[in-house]
Amino acid sequence: MPNEIKDISSVDSTSFPYIFEQNVDVPLKAASGLVRVNVYRPKTEDGARVPVVVTYGPYGKDIHYKDFHPQSYSEVNPEHHSDHSAWETPDPGFWTRNGYAVVRADERGLGQSPGVLDTMSRGTSDAFFDVVEWAAEQPWSTGKVGLLGISYYAGSQWRVAARHPKGLCAMIPWEGMSDYYRDRCRQGGILSNGFIKFWWNRQVITNQYGRPGRSARNWGPDTIEGDLSEEELAANRNDQTEDNAANKFRDEPYYASKEYNMGDIQVPLLSVANWGGICLHLRGNVQGWLWAGSEFKYLRFITGRHDLPFYYHEEVEIQRSFLDAFLKGEDREGWSVKGKVAPVSILLRKGNVGFNDAEAEKVYTRREETEWPISRTQYTKFFLDSTGSLTTSEPLVKRSEKLSYKALGTIEQPELVKFETKPFEAETEITGHVVAHLNVSVTPYSGSESIPTDIDLFVTLRYFGPDGKEVFYTGTAGDPVPLTKGWQRVSLRKVDSSHYKNKTWLPHRNYTSADVEPVIIGEVYPIDVEIWPTNVVVEKGGKIIFEVASGDTQGAGIFLHNDAVDRSKEKLDGLNHIHFSPHFSNYLTLPIIP
Ligand SMILES: *[C@@H]1O[C@H](CO)[C@@H](O)[C@H](O)[C@H]1NC(C)=O
Ligand SMILES: *[C@@H]1O[C@H](CO)[C@@H](O)[C@H](O)[C@H]1NC(C)=O
Ligand SMILES: *[C@@H]1O[C@H](CO)[C@@H](O)[C@H](O)[C@H]1NC(C)=O
């Protein structure tokens, strides 16, 4: 029997520049139970009501940023340092100074919120819905609510917005995936286990409601109602690492229950996508923007790490201007005027400025566009040939040839083939979606008993400057990353051509159990591989390299796909081939901007 729930809310009006209410109960409507939130609100003289910025997520409303990630906090713009700064969320010091209340909720089953921990589930999203409506109903609230946060605090926004909670007026998903299956868990159908495991063990179960020893570890206060036993903790959570390994297809209830219709999102939105977020969030920000039904929707591309740009002075001014427009009715830029603010703002990556260097990235320039993908894009085929070159003229192949590499390459020992362009003769911009068309097959090793039944494709696009050196960009964690990547399991190659999201520049796959098609030894399968959107200004003399690998390669960082069951030897081990012949052509389609 769980410990009895106490009323533990407290109000402090004197210790901070804002009123701090801690552990306020938000009763849940759909299910019984409650979620606990902290409220930070300005000390308005006449008791005037204020609009509200809400976050709801797992990382602990009471864990100070400096404890959660000391190094990152030391690099955050000091304008966003306060007594209650927290990882990936809006800083209460800053936002209360600017006339907003901040409501920060502990997700159900985490921190001080009792209940079953079930990250990214429909049930926990229901609780988020209740928190938004609650924030709109408070006596100190104007009834207008905005969503603003990074990563988890962004990814959770899409689904709740699709359900229209009362009071929701604007959302800013800052680097937030929107498609649980395709963006996060099973990229191209392949289990993305590395990140999920790291994330789960570092920052989710460590903050489970009832987890003993949090305070001793400087990981927020202990659970007010007391610790739970290991058995109770285990019974009270759905482990994302296990659930993602156990479920493979979108028609299984685990994934199906997390679906929503992006077109149902109606609220004004500003989707912030990071070109360097090539293994988790980038795709979702672009797709979410593309398919949201909102009349006012904006897509802004940035670069830099996932933790810092959210707090850059100039980026916060954009957040504030957007929220002021829709929550306060103070529209200085014209966000709410059709045609006034360009819907798409692109940061152009030109030159080699190094990585993890925010100052150096300031040389990148911005350009506004009225649509995405850019309508003047010239989709240009770059053909692969068996000598490893990538050319715009179709190679004349006289006899059948193939390039082969071993399956099951690893980040330590990649197995791959690469294709390289000639130095570009003129500066050339590449901005948009990339697709690779490949003709692939698998055969067993000679003398081997085991018969492979699948092929996992890992493809990467890299850029080399005129000096011949590879240009690395800032990845999510500040690590060096190439331009972009794509993944595809060949047994899940079936494309749903009739789906409204399927485009010549982006194959759409259903990934249901009914989509599984056989991969037979020696058969050649044509396949279109989705590659995540990208941007680079190729300089005169610069080169593009395209790699096809059988496992993770450079730039994957912690986003590894190496689960021993999902990518078993029995299933995959063998030789993978790319076929070239008068009938089998292989090409990369690049979005060239004239
Ligand atoms: C994909 O799934 C939808 C239903 O979700 C179905 O209507 C469609 O036929 C499927 N496409 C293919 C190619 O199987
Ligand atoms: C679906 O996507 C594929 C791959 O991008 C493309 O070849 C095909 O033309 C698309 N179909 C439609 C109807 O757009
Ligand atoms: C790829 O291979 C198939 C054989 O399975 C062939 O029919 C097809 O023409 C090839 N496609 C291209 C574009 O080369």
Side-chain angles (χ1 to χ4, degrees), residues 495 497 502-504 506-507 528:
V495 168
S497 234
N502 187 78
K503 302 286 172 187
T504 51
L506 198 159
D528 287 314

Side-chain angles (χ1 to χ4, degrees), residues 437 439 524-526 583-585 587:
H437 179 86
N439 272 277
V524 179
Y525 299 102
H583 311 292
F584 294 179
S585 69
Y587 48 86

